[in-house]
Amino acid sequence: MTDISATGQVVCMRGPMELDQSSPVLREYGSEQSLLSRPDGSSTFVQGDTSILAGVYGPAEVKVSKEIYDRATVEVLIQSKMGLPSVRERAREQCVRETCEAALLLTLHPRSSFTLILQVVHEDGSLLSCCLNAACMALMDAGLPMNNLFCGVTCAISKEGQIITDPTARQEKESRALLTFAIDSVEHNVLMSSTTGSFSVPELQQCIAISQKASEQIFSFYRDSVKRRYSKMK
Amino acid sequence: MRDTPLSNCERLFLLQAIQEKKRLDGRQTYDYRNIKILFGTDYGCCIVELGKTRVLCQVSCELVPPKDSRPTEGILYFNLELSPMASPAFESNRQSELLVMLNRQLERCLRNSKCIDTESLCVISGEKVWQIRVDVHVLNHDGNLMDAASIAAISALSHFRRPDVAIQGREVTVFSPEERDPIPLSIYHMPICVSFAFFLQGSYLLVDPCEREERVKDGLLVIAMNKHREICSIQSSGGIMLLKDQVKPVEMLLLVEGEHENHSSERIKPFPVLLCFSSFVLMQRKEGGKFGFAESLPIERITALKRDEAPVEMADVKDTAEEIINRTESSTEVYPPGLKTRERSAASPVLVATGTAQVGEGIVNSWGLEEDEDDEVIIEDKGGGTYNHNCICK
C-alpha cells in the first residue's frame, strides 16, 4: 500500500525524463465512489490528468422500442466537455457498451435498462481506458451483479518501437500505434480491443501481455478501494 | 427513465415544515448551502458544488467571422446541457421547459448584462472575431441549478485565457500558449443569480431551494446581481404576484450569501472570492505545483483512494508473447486453397477511371437477352433479375 498522506503534499512537475523510461509506467491514478447523490452508482477515475466522471442508473424502466425480452438493455452515453456529440464518442460508447454487456449479468433483469453516463472532465491521453475503469467502478458502486470486473489499459507504440503504457496526449500524438484493451479480472482475457495505427503481430502480443500485467495492478486497486470503503464495518 | 413522483405525504410534510420555518437539511430560511469551486488543469474549466448540486463548465474560444449586425464585436455563445447523469428525468437531446428556461436565464444574466467586453474580442473588424463558447453540464441535480450554473459560468470565464494574436495588415498570427502567455478576458463585473422559491401562494419564501423543495414550490424568483449592488436581471415564474415590499428585502439578502470554500479549504468572503480564485490558481501554476482536478480528489474520504506512479513488470513479457505466436497456426494463404484462379484474380482491384476503382466484376447482365423465346411461359422461371438467377431459376 502506498503512503497516501505523502501524495497530497508532494510538489513536483512531470519532467521530460519520465518519458524516456525503459520500463512502461502506469501514471498516478485515483478514484472516488458515491460522489453524486442522484445516480444509483457513481465514480470518478483519474489517470494522471485524464479525469472521467461516471454515473449509472439501473435496473430501471426501458422504452418498449428498446426492450429485450430475456435480458437487460445497456445504454452508454459519453459526453465530451465542448461541442456536440460526434462519431468519435459513438465509437467509444460502443466499445464500453460491449465490455459492460460481457461483464454484467443481464439475464437477471429482463426488460430493464442499465444506463451508464460518462462525462469527460479532462482529457490527457488514455481516454478509453479511463472510461472503462470509471465505468467498472461505477457499476461496482451501484452493486450491479457482474460476472467479472474489467479494466482498461492503453498502450502506445512509439516510432522507435518502444511500448509505453498509459500514454499522455503528447505521447499519443507522437506514437505510431495506439492500442486499448479491456481485460477481465478472472482469467485476464481480452474482452475488447480498439486499435489505431499499424503494428506487427509480435508487437500486438507483447502489448496484450503488458496490458495483462498492468491490469493486475488496477484490479488490486479495485480490491483496495472496496476494502477501504468497508473497513469500518465489522 | 422516469423520475419517482412526489408522494402526497411528502408534499404535505414539506409544506408543513416550511410553515413552521423548518427545512429538510436544517438550514434557516435565508441560508445558502456550502459552495465549492474547483478549477481544472486547462484554462476555463471549473466544477461548482452547491451542496450536492454539481455543475461542470468549460470555456473555449475560436476565431470566426462576426455577425453582420455587429462587425466589431465578439460573440458569446452559451450552451447549458442537462446530463442524464444529473437526474433520471433528464434525457439527452430533449428540449424540456427547464432546459430552455435555464439557457435563457444564463444568456440574460451574462450576455445582456454586458459583463464581458465584447469589443476587445474583435481581431479584424468585419472579418475575424473571437467566439467565446461556454458549455455548462449539469452533473447532479439537487435543486437550484440556475445559481450553480451562473457561478460556474462566471468563474470559468474569469479563469479562462485566450491565445494572444498579432495583426499585420490583413494577416493574423495566433500564438500558442508556449510561445506567448494567453490573455484573460476583460470582465467588467460578475453577475451571479440568486433563486428564491415561494410557497403557499407567496406567503413563504426560501433561498436556495433543494430538489425536494423545488418540487412543491409555487413560484420562483431569480435575481442576478453583482458586487456593486446592481441588478442585472430579474425573472419571476409561476404566476406569483409579488408586492414591491416583498421584493425589497429579497435584494438585501443577496449580499448575505453563504461563505464560500475554495479547493484549498480557506474560508473567504463572498464576491471578492471569485476575483482571487483565478489569481490563486495561477500562482499555483507558476510555482510548478500540481493543480487540476486530479489534485482535488478528497483522499481523506473513505470512498476515495489514490496510487502513485508505478512501473509495469516487463520481465517475461517477450517470452509470453512469442509463446502465443508460436502456438497459433501460421496462415500464410490469403485465400482458402482450392479456389479457382479466375475467382482469385477477381478479388484484386481494377481502376475503372480516375478516382473510381472496383473490386470484383459482378455477374454478367442477362436481362433481355432471351426475348426471342416464349416470354409468357418462361418469365416466372426467370425470377426478378440477374442477381438471384442462381437461387430461383435452375
PDB file of all heavy atoms in Angstrom, chain B residues 159-192:
ATOM      1  N   HIS B 159     -11.500  32.549 -15.208  1.00  0.00           N
ATOM      2  CA  HIS B 159     -10.326  31.692 -15.211  1.00  0.00           C
ATOM      3  C   HIS B 159      -9.736  31.561 -16.603  1.00  0.00           C
ATOM      4  O   HIS B 159      -8.562  31.273 -16.783  1.00  0.00           O
ATOM      5  CB  HIS B 159     -10.739  30.308 -14.693  1.00  0.00           C
ATOM      6  CG  HIS B 159      -9.607  29.368 -14.461  1.00  0.00           C
ATOM      7  ND1 HIS B 159      -9.562  28.114 -15.026  1.00  0.00           N
ATOM      8  CD2 HIS B 159      -8.482  29.470 -13.739  1.00  0.00           C
ATOM      9  CE1 HIS B 159      -8.464  27.492 -14.657  1.00  0.00           C
ATOM     10  NE2 HIS B 159      -7.791  28.290 -13.870  1.00  0.00           N
ATOM     11  N   PHE B 160     -10.580  31.782 -17.620  1.00  0.00           N
ATOM     12  CA  PHE B 160     -10.195  31.474 -18.994  1.00  0.00           C
ATOM     13  C   PHE B 160      -9.148  32.452 -19.520  1.00  0.00           C
ATOM     14  O   PHE B 160      -9.145  33.627 -19.188  1.00  0.00           O
ATOM     15  CB  PHE B 160     -11.459  31.518 -19.861  1.00  0.00           C
ATOM     16  CG  PHE B 160     -11.206  31.233 -21.305  1.00  0.00           C
ATOM     17  CD1 PHE B 160     -10.747  29.983 -21.697  1.00  0.00           C
ATOM     18  CD2 PHE B 160     -11.424  32.189 -22.273  1.00  0.00           C
ATOM     19  CE1 PHE B 160     -10.509  29.699 -23.016  1.00  0.00           C
ATOM     20  CE2 PHE B 160     -11.192  31.910 -23.599  1.00  0.00           C
ATOM     21  CZ  PHE B 160     -10.736  30.667 -23.969  1.00  0.00           C
ATOM     22  N   ARG B 161      -8.253  31.933 -20.369  1.00  0.00           N
ATOM     23  CA  ARG B 161      -7.273  32.776 -21.052  1.00  0.00           C
ATOM     24  C   ARG B 161      -7.345  32.484 -22.535  1.00  0.00           C
ATOM     25  O   ARG B 161      -7.312  31.320 -22.932  1.00  0.00           O
ATOM     26  CB  ARG B 161      -5.851  32.447 -20.567  1.00  0.00           C
ATOM     27  CG  ARG B 161      -5.637  32.563 -19.076  1.00  0.00           C
ATOM     28  CD  ARG B 161      -5.374  33.976 -18.655  1.00  0.00           C
ATOM     29  NE  ARG B 161      -5.184  34.105 -17.237  1.00  0.00           N
ATOM     30  CZ  ARG B 161      -6.155  34.321 -16.356  1.00  0.00           C
ATOM     31  NH1 ARG B 161      -7.405  34.409 -16.761  1.00  0.00           N
ATOM     32  NH2 ARG B 161      -5.877  34.429 -15.084  1.00  0.00           N
ATOM     33  N   ARG B 162      -7.444  33.517 -23.356  1.00  0.00           N
ATOM     34  CA  ARG B 162      -7.488  33.267 -24.796  1.00  0.00           C
ATOM     35  C   ARG B 162      -6.093  33.480 -25.389  1.00  0.00           C
ATOM     36  O   ARG B 162      -5.270  34.194 -24.821  1.00  0.00           O
ATOM     37  CB  ARG B 162      -8.515  34.195 -25.459  1.00  0.00           C
ATOM     38  CG  ARG B 162      -8.164  35.657 -25.374  1.00  0.00           C
ATOM     39  CD  ARG B 162      -9.024  36.486 -26.331  1.00  0.00           C
ATOM     40  NE  ARG B 162      -8.804  37.903 -26.147  1.00  0.00           N
ATOM     41  CZ  ARG B 162      -7.834  38.590 -26.733  1.00  0.00           C
ATOM     42  NH1 ARG B 162      -6.983  37.984 -27.527  1.00  0.00           N
ATOM     43  NH2 ARG B 162      -7.689  39.881 -26.511  1.00  0.00           N
ATOM     44  N   PRO B 163      -5.811  32.828 -26.529  1.00  0.00           N
ATOM     45  CA  PRO B 163      -4.468  32.952 -27.100  1.00  0.00           C
ATOM     46  C   PRO B 163      -4.191  34.393 -27.549  1.00  0.00           C
ATOM     47  O   PRO B 163      -5.098  35.131 -27.938  1.00  0.00           O
ATOM     48  CB  PRO B 163      -4.492  32.014 -28.307  1.00  0.00           C
ATOM     49  CG  PRO B 163      -5.711  31.209 -28.180  1.00  0.00           C
ATOM     50  CD  PRO B 163      -6.655  31.925 -27.304  1.00  0.00           C
ATOM     51  N   ASP B 164      -2.940  34.761 -27.515  1.00  0.00           N
ATOM     52  CA  ASP B 164      -2.542  36.093 -27.956  1.00  0.00           C
ATOM     53  C   ASP B 164      -2.492  36.117 -29.481  1.00  0.00           C
ATOM     54  O   ASP B 164      -2.146  35.128 -30.117  1.00  0.00           O
ATOM     55  CB  ASP B 164      -1.153  36.408 -27.374  1.00  0.00           C
ATOM     56  CG  ASP B 164      -0.848  37.884 -27.438  1.00  0.00           C
ATOM     57  OD1 ASP B 164      -1.720  38.661 -27.887  1.00  0.00           O
ATOM     58  OD2 ASP B 164       0.260  38.266 -27.038  1.00  0.00           O
ATOM     59  N   VAL B 165      -2.867  37.256 -30.065  1.00  0.00           N
ATOM     60  CA  VAL B 165      -2.814  37.365 -31.531  1.00  0.00           C
ATOM     61  C   VAL B 165      -1.988  38.580 -31.921  1.00  0.00           C
ATOM     62  O   VAL B 165      -1.904  39.559 -31.178  1.00  0.00           O
ATOM     63  CB  VAL B 165      -4.223  37.521 -32.167  1.00  0.00           C
ATOM     64  CG1 VAL B 165      -4.969  36.245 -32.091  1.00  0.00           C
ATOM     65  CG2 VAL B 165      -4.983  38.638 -31.514  1.00  0.00           C
ATOM     66  N   ALA B 166      -1.386  38.493 -33.112  1.00  0.00           N
ATOM     67  CA  ALA B 166      -0.671  39.645 -33.665  1.00  0.00           C
ATOM     68  C   ALA B 166      -1.244  39.902 -35.044  1.00  0.00           C
ATOM     69  O   ALA B 166      -1.442  38.978 -35.832  1.00  0.00           O
ATOM     70  CB  ALA B 166       0.816  39.336 -33.761  1.00  0.00           C
ATOM     71  N   ILE B 167      -1.567  41.175 -35.301  1.00  0.00           N
ATOM     72  CA  ILE B 167      -2.176  41.512 -36.589  1.00  0.00           C
ATOM     73  C   ILE B 167      -1.193  42.326 -37.402  1.00  0.00           C
ATOM     74  O   ILE B 167      -0.660  43.330 -36.918  1.00  0.00           O
ATOM     75  CB  ILE B 167      -3.455  42.353 -36.379  1.00  0.00           C
ATOM     76  CG1 ILE B 167      -4.351  41.666 -35.360  1.00  0.00           C
ATOM     77  CG2 ILE B 167      -4.183  42.526 -37.691  1.00  0.00           C
ATOM     78  CD1 ILE B 167      -5.457  42.532 -34.863  1.00  0.00           C
ATOM     79  N   GLN B 168      -0.929  41.874 -38.619  1.00  0.00           N
ATOM     80  CA  GLN B 168      -0.074  42.655 -39.522  1.00  0.00           C
ATOM     81  C   GLN B 168      -0.853  42.850 -40.806  1.00  0.00           C
ATOM     82  O   GLN B 168      -0.914  41.961 -41.643  1.00  0.00           O
ATOM     83  CB  GLN B 168       1.217  41.880 -39.813  1.00  0.00           C
ATOM     84  CG  GLN B 168       2.252  42.046 -38.747  1.00  0.00           C
ATOM     85  CD  GLN B 168       3.452  41.169 -39.009  1.00  0.00           C
ATOM     86  OE1 GLN B 168       3.332  40.110 -39.613  1.00  0.00           O
ATOM     87  NE2 GLN B 168       4.609  41.608 -38.558  1.00  0.00           N
ATOM     88  N   GLY B 169      -1.482  44.025 -40.929  1.00  0.00           N
ATOM     89  CA  GLY B 169      -2.295  44.270 -42.115  1.00  0.00           C
ATOM     90  C   GLY B 169      -3.511  43.373 -42.098  1.00  0.00           C
ATOM     91  O   GLY B 169      -4.383  43.502 -41.253  1.00  0.00           O
ATOM     92  N   ARG B 170      -3.585  42.415 -43.038  1.00  0.00           N
ATOM     93  CA  ARG B 170      -4.723  41.516 -43.082  1.00  0.00           C
ATOM     94  C   ARG B 170      -4.370  40.150 -42.488  1.00  0.00           C
ATOM     95  O   ARG B 170      -5.187  39.278 -42.414  1.00  0.00           O
ATOM     96  CB  ARG B 170      -5.199  41.300 -44.533  1.00  0.00           C
ATOM     97  CG  ARG B 170      -5.566  42.560 -45.258  1.00  0.00           C
ATOM     98  CD  ARG B 170      -6.827  43.176 -44.687  1.00  0.00           C
ATOM     99  NE  ARG B 170      -7.986  42.341 -44.958  1.00  0.00           N
ATOM    100  CZ  ARG B 170      -8.853  42.591 -45.932  1.00  0.00           C
ATOM    101  NH1 ARG B 170      -8.669  43.616 -46.732  1.00  0.00           N
ATOM    102  NH2 ARG B 170      -9.899  41.815 -46.113  1.00  0.00           N
ATOM    103  N   GLU B 171      -3.085  39.970 -42.129  1.00  0.00           N
ATOM    104  CA  GLU B 171      -2.675  38.655 -41.622  1.00  0.00           C
ATOM    105  C   GLU B 171      -2.783  38.596 -40.120  1.00  0.00           C
ATOM    106  O   GLU B 171      -2.375  39.519 -39.421  1.00  0.00           O
ATOM    107  CB  GLU B 171      -1.210  38.408 -42.002  1.00  0.00           C
ATOM    108  CG  GLU B 171      -1.059  37.761 -43.351  1.00  0.00           C
ATOM    109  CD  GLU B 171       0.406  37.477 -43.616  1.00  0.00           C
ATOM    110  OE1 GLU B 171       1.138  37.180 -42.657  1.00  0.00           O
ATOM    111  OE2 GLU B 171       0.792  37.580 -44.774  1.00  0.00           O
ATOM    112  N   VAL B 172      -3.301  37.489 -39.645  1.00  0.00           N
ATOM    113  CA  VAL B 172      -3.449  37.304 -38.204  1.00  0.00           C
ATOM    114  C   VAL B 172      -2.605  36.116 -37.783  1.00  0.00           C
ATOM    115  O   VAL B 172      -2.706  35.035 -38.358  1.00  0.00           O
ATOM    116  CB  VAL B 172      -4.931  37.025 -37.854  1.00  0.00           C
ATOM    117  CG1 VAL B 172      -5.071  36.774 -36.368  1.00  0.00           C
ATOM    118  CG2 VAL B 172      -5.807  38.172 -38.284  1.00  0.00           C
ATOM    119  N   THR B 173      -1.747  36.320 -36.786  1.00  0.00           N
ATOM    120  CA  THR B 173      -0.964  35.198 -36.256  1.00  0.00           C
ATOM    121  C   THR B 173      -1.484  34.887 -34.868  1.00  0.00           C
ATOM    122  O   THR B 173      -1.514  35.765 -34.002  1.00  0.00           O
ATOM    123  CB  THR B 173       0.529  35.586 -36.133  1.00  0.00           C
ATOM    124  OG1 THR B 173       0.855  36.485 -37.166  1.00  0.00           O
ATOM    125  CG2 THR B 173       1.401  34.354 -36.207  1.00  0.00           C
ATOM    126  N   VAL B 174      -1.881  33.647 -34.667  1.00  0.00           N
ATOM    127  CA  VAL B 174      -2.341  33.231 -33.343  1.00  0.00           C
ATOM    128  C   VAL B 174      -1.193  32.489 -32.667  1.00  0.00           C
ATOM    129  O   VAL B 174      -0.677  31.521 -33.195  1.00  0.00           O
ATOM    130  CB  VAL B 174      -3.562  32.292 -33.460  1.00  0.00           C
ATOM    131  CG1 VAL B 174      -4.021  31.863 -32.080  1.00  0.00           C
ATOM    132  CG2 VAL B 174      -4.685  32.976 -34.205  1.00  0.00           C
ATOM    133  N   PHE B 175      -0.797  32.964 -31.496  1.00  0.00           N
ATOM    134  CA  PHE B 175       0.327  32.330 -30.800  1.00  0.00           C
ATOM    135  C   PHE B 175      -0.165  31.210 -29.894  1.00  0.00           C
ATOM    136  O   PHE B 175      -1.178  31.341 -29.223  1.00  0.00           O
ATOM    137  CB  PHE B 175       1.074  33.374 -29.954  1.00  0.00           C
ATOM    138  CG  PHE B 175       1.731  34.437 -30.780  1.00  0.00           C
ATOM    139  CD1 PHE B 175       1.215  35.714 -30.829  1.00  0.00           C
ATOM    140  CD2 PHE B 175       2.869  34.142 -31.521  1.00  0.00           C
ATOM    141  CE1 PHE B 175       1.819  36.694 -31.597  1.00  0.00           C
ATOM    142  CE2 PHE B 175       3.475  35.119 -32.289  1.00  0.00           C
ATOM    143  CZ  PHE B 175       2.944  36.395 -32.335  1.00  0.00           C
ATOM    144  N   SER B 176       0.589  30.133 -29.835  1.00  0.00           N
ATOM    145  CA  SER B 176       0.221  29.038 -28.937  1.00  0.00           C
ATOM    146  C   SER B 176       0.616  29.429 -27.507  1.00  0.00           C
ATOM    147  O   SER B 176       1.429  30.339 -27.327  1.00  0.00           O
ATOM    148  CB  SER B 176       0.962  27.770 -29.350  1.00  0.00           C
ATOM    149  OG  SER B 176       2.339  27.916 -29.089  1.00  0.00           O
ATOM    150  N   PRO B 177       0.058  28.751 -26.510  1.00  0.00           N
ATOM    151  CA  PRO B 177       0.374  29.129 -25.128  1.00  0.00           C
ATOM    152  C   PRO B 177       1.858  29.024 -24.780  1.00  0.00           C
ATOM    153  O   PRO B 177       2.332  29.722 -23.882  1.00  0.00           O
ATOM    154  CB  PRO B 177      -0.417  28.121 -24.280  1.00  0.00           C
ATOM    155  CG  PRO B 177      -1.372  27.480 -25.175  1.00  0.00           C
ATOM    156  CD  PRO B 177      -0.978  27.724 -26.583  1.00  0.00           C
ATOM    157  N   GLU B 178       2.588  28.173 -25.533  1.00  0.00           N
ATOM    158  CA  GLU B 178       4.027  28.080 -25.238  1.00  0.00           C
ATOM    159  C   GLU B 178       4.775  29.283 -25.763  1.00  0.00           C
ATOM    160  O   GLU B 178       5.787  29.690 -25.213  1.00  0.00           O
ATOM    161  CB  GLU B 178       4.632  26.814 -25.864  1.00  0.00           C
ATOM    162  CG  GLU B 178       4.226  25.525 -25.183  1.00  0.00           C
ATOM    163  CD  GLU B 178       2.965  24.951 -25.776  1.00  0.00           C
ATOM    164  OE1 GLU B 178       2.810  25.045 -27.006  1.00  0.00           O
ATOM    165  OE2 GLU B 178       2.139  24.430 -25.015  1.00  0.00           O
ATOM    166  N   GLU B 179       4.275  29.866 -26.864  1.00  0.00           N
ATOM    167  CA  GLU B 179       5.010  30.992 -27.448  1.00  0.00           C
ATOM    168  C   GLU B 179       4.773  32.281 -26.680  1.00  0.00           C
ATOM    169  O   GLU B 179       5.695  33.006 -26.360  1.00  0.00           O
ATOM    170  CB  GLU B 179       4.579  31.172 -28.905  1.00  0.00           C
ATOM    171  CG  GLU B 179       5.042  30.048 -29.806  1.00  0.00           C
ATOM    172  CD  GLU B 179       4.323  30.096 -31.145  1.00  0.00           C
ATOM    173  OE1 GLU B 179       3.595  31.075 -31.388  1.00  0.00           O
ATOM    174  OE2 GLU B 179       4.465  29.147 -31.925  1.00  0.00           O
ATOM    175  N   ARG B 180       3.494  32.559 -26.430  1.00  0.00           N
ATOM    176  CA  ARG B 180       3.204  33.789 -25.679  1.00  0.00           C
ATOM    177  C   ARG B 180       2.128  33.484 -24.651  1.00  0.00           C
ATOM    178  O   ARG B 180       1.213  32.721 -24.917  1.00  0.00           O
ATOM    179  CB  ARG B 180       2.655  34.862 -26.637  1.00  0.00           C
ATOM    180  CG  ARG B 180       3.716  35.674 -27.312  1.00  0.00           C
ATOM    181  CD  ARG B 180       3.175  37.042 -27.658  1.00  0.00           C
ATOM    182  NE  ARG B 180       3.826  37.596 -28.823  1.00  0.00           N
ATOM    183  CZ  ARG B 180       3.391  38.650 -29.469  1.00  0.00           C
ATOM    184  NH1 ARG B 180       2.290  39.254 -29.093  1.00  0.00           N
ATOM    185  NH2 ARG B 180       4.053  39.107 -30.518  1.00  0.00           N
ATOM    186  N   ASP B 181       2.220  34.106 -23.514  1.00  0.00           N
ATOM    187  CA  ASP B 181       1.225  33.858 -22.461  1.00  0.00           C
ATOM    188  C   ASP B 181      -0.163  34.242 -22.936  1.00  0.00           C
ATOM    189  O   ASP B 181      -0.351  35.322 -23.501  1.00  0.00           O
ATOM    190  CB  ASP B 181       1.543  34.710 -21.219  1.00  0.00           C
ATOM    191  CG  ASP B 181       2.577  34.028 -20.356  1.00  0.00           C
ATOM    192  OD1 ASP B 181       2.750  32.807 -20.494  1.00  0.00           O
ATOM    193  OD2 ASP B 181       3.210  34.733 -19.555  1.00  0.00           O
ATOM    194  N   PRO B 182      -1.151  33.397 -22.685  1.00  0.00           N
ATOM    195  CA  PRO B 182      -2.509  33.771 -23.113  1.00  0.00           C
ATOM    196  C   PRO B 182      -3.074  34.903 -22.250  1.00  0.00           C
ATOM    197  O   PRO B 182      -2.629  35.126 -21.131  1.00  0.00           O
ATOM    198  CB  PRO B 182      -3.313  32.487 -22.917  1.00  0.00           C
ATOM    199  CG  PRO B 182      -2.489  31.587 -22.107  1.00  0.00           C
ATOM    200  CD  PRO B 182      -1.081  32.038 -22.148  1.00  0.00           C
ATOM    201  N   ILE B 183      -4.064  35.587 -22.810  1.00  0.00           N
ATOM    202  CA  ILE B 183      -4.600  36.808 -22.190  1.00  0.00           C
ATOM    203  C   ILE B 183      -5.956  36.537 -21.558  1.00  0.00           C
ATOM    204  O   ILE B 183      -6.788  35.855 -22.154  1.00  0.00           O
ATOM    205  CB  ILE B 183      -4.815  37.887 -23.275  1.00  0.00           C
ATOM    206  CG1 ILE B 183      -3.563  38.036 -24.106  1.00  0.00           C
ATOM    207  CG2 ILE B 183      -5.190  39.217 -22.656  1.00  0.00           C
ATOM    208  CD1 ILE B 183      -3.806  38.893 -25.309  1.00  0.00           C
ATOM    209  N   PRO B 184      -6.218  37.062 -20.359  1.00  0.00           N
ATOM    210  CA  PRO B 184      -7.560  36.882 -19.789  1.00  0.00           C
ATOM    211  C   PRO B 184      -8.594  37.743 -20.513  1.00  0.00           C
ATOM    212  O   PRO B 184      -8.253  38.713 -21.176  1.00  0.00           O
ATOM    213  CB  PRO B 184      -7.395  37.348 -18.344  1.00  0.00           C
ATOM    214  CG  PRO B 184      -6.210  38.226 -18.349  1.00  0.00           C
ATOM    215  CD  PRO B 184      -5.310  37.766 -19.452  1.00  0.00           C
ATOM    216  N   LEU B 185      -9.866  37.369 -20.335  1.00  0.00           N
ATOM    217  CA  LEU B 185     -10.949  38.161 -20.907  1.00  0.00           C
ATOM    218  C   LEU B 185     -11.147  39.396 -20.033  1.00  0.00           C
ATOM    219  O   LEU B 185     -10.873  39.352 -18.831  1.00  0.00           O
ATOM    220  CB  LEU B 185     -12.250  37.366 -20.906  1.00  0.00           C
ATOM    221  CG  LEU B 185     -12.268  36.067 -21.703  1.00  0.00           C
ATOM    222  CD1 LEU B 185     -13.570  35.335 -21.459  1.00  0.00           C
ATOM    223  CD2 LEU B 185     -12.097  36.348 -23.168  1.00  0.00           C
ATOM    224  N   SER B 186     -11.630  40.467 -20.636  1.00  0.00           N
ATOM    225  CA  SER B 186     -11.865  41.655 -19.806  1.00  0.00           C
ATOM    226  C   SER B 186     -13.300  41.600 -19.304  1.00  0.00           C
ATOM    227  O   SER B 186     -14.259  41.657 -20.078  1.00  0.00           O
ATOM    228  CB  SER B 186     -11.586  42.937 -20.598  1.00  0.00           C
ATOM    229  OG  SER B 186     -12.457  43.056 -21.655  1.00  0.00           O
ATOM    230  N   ILE B 187     -13.402  41.453 -18.008  1.00  0.00           N
ATOM    231  CA  ILE B 187     -14.707  41.291 -17.374  1.00  0.00           C
ATOM    232  C   ILE B 187     -14.978  42.521 -16.530  1.00  0.00           C
ATOM    233  O   ILE B 187     -14.180  42.881 -15.664  1.00  0.00           O
ATOM    234  CB  ILE B 187     -14.705  40.025 -16.499  1.00  0.00           C
ATOM    235  CG1 ILE B 187     -14.420  38.810 -17.385  1.00  0.00           C
ATOM    236  CG2 ILE B 187     -16.024  39.855 -15.787  1.00  0.00           C
ATOM    237  CD1 ILE B 187     -14.374  37.521 -16.653  1.00  0.00           C
ATOM    238  N   TYR B 188     -16.113  43.178 -16.784  1.00  0.00           N
ATOM    239  CA  TYR B 188     -16.415  44.411 -16.058  1.00  0.00           C
ATOM    240  C   TYR B 188     -16.931  44.120 -14.662  1.00  0.00           C
ATOM    241  O   TYR B 188     -16.550  44.754 -13.698  1.00  0.00           O
ATOM    242  CB  TYR B 188     -17.475  45.218 -16.812  1.00  0.00           C
ATOM    243  CG  TYR B 188     -16.990  45.782 -18.125  1.00  0.00           C
ATOM    244  CD1 TYR B 188     -17.771  45.730 -19.262  1.00  0.00           C
ATOM    245  CD2 TYR B 188     -15.733  46.389 -18.232  1.00  0.00           C
ATOM    246  CE1 TYR B 188     -17.333  46.249 -20.465  1.00  0.00           C
ATOM    247  CE2 TYR B 188     -15.286  46.906 -19.427  1.00  0.00           C
ATOM    248  CZ  TYR B 188     -16.087  46.834 -20.539  1.00  0.00           C
ATOM    249  OH  TYR B 188     -15.658  47.349 -21.720  1.00  0.00           O
ATOM    250  N   HIS B 189     -17.856  43.158 -14.576  1.00  0.00           N
ATOM    251  CA  HIS B 189     -18.435  42.852 -13.277  1.00  0.00           C
ATOM    252  C   HIS B 189     -18.896  41.408 -13.311  1.00  0.00           C
ATOM    253  O   HIS B 189     -18.947  40.787 -14.365  1.00  0.00           O
ATOM    254  CB  HIS B 189     -19.616  43.781 -12.959  1.00  0.00           C
ATOM    255  CG  HIS B 189     -20.729  43.720 -13.968  1.00  0.00           C
ATOM    256  ND1 HIS B 189     -21.826  42.921 -13.832  1.00  0.00           N
ATOM    257  CD2 HIS B 189     -20.884  44.352 -15.149  1.00  0.00           C
ATOM    258  CE1 HIS B 189     -22.624  43.065 -14.881  1.00  0.00           C
ATOM    259  NE2 HIS B 189     -22.065  43.934 -15.700  1.00  0.00           N
ATOM    260  N   MET B 190     -19.198  40.843 -12.161  1.00  0.00           N
ATOM    261  CA  MET B 190     -19.557  39.433 -12.097  1.00  0.00           C
ATOM    262  C   MET B 190     -20.986  39.277 -11.621  1.00  0.00           C
ATOM    263  O   MET B 190     -21.245  39.317 -10.421  1.00  0.00           O
ATOM    264  CB  MET B 190     -18.622  38.727 -11.120  1.00  0.00           C
ATOM    265  CG  MET B 190     -17.193  38.691 -11.583  1.00  0.00           C
ATOM    266  SD  MET B 190     -16.281  37.626 -10.508  1.00  0.00           S
ATOM    267  CE  MET B 190     -14.721  37.636 -11.296  1.00  0.00           C
ATOM    268  N   PRO B 191     -21.921  39.072 -12.534  1.00  0.00           N
ATOM    269  CA  PRO B 191     -23.302  38.880 -12.086  1.00  0.00           C
ATOM    270  C   PRO B 191     -23.523  37.435 -11.636  1.00  0.00           C
ATOM    271  O   PRO B 191     -23.048  36.505 -12.270  1.00  0.00           O
ATOM    272  CB  PRO B 191     -24.124  39.186 -13.345  1.00  0.00           C
ATOM    273  CG  PRO B 191     -23.204  38.963 -14.481  1.00  0.00           C
ATOM    274  CD  PRO B 191     -21.793  39.048 -13.995  1.00  0.00           C
ATOM    275  N   ILE B 192     -24.186  37.289 -10.535  1.00  0.00           N
ATOM    276  CA  ILE B 192     -24.486  35.952 -10.016  1.00  0.00           C
ATOM    277  C   ILE B 192     -25.982  35.875  -9.761  1.00  0.00           C
ATOM    278  O   ILE B 192     -26.570  36.795  -9.216  1.00  0.00           O
ATOM    279  CB  ILE B 192     -23.702  35.685  -8.724  1.00  0.00           C
ATOM    280  CG1 ILE B 192     -22.216  35.685  -9.038  1.00  0.00           C
ATOM    281  CG2 ILE B 192     -24.099  34.357  -8.119  1.00  0.00           C
ATOM    282  CD1 ILE B 192     -21.367  35.316  -7.871  1.00  0.00           C
TER     283      ILE B 192
END
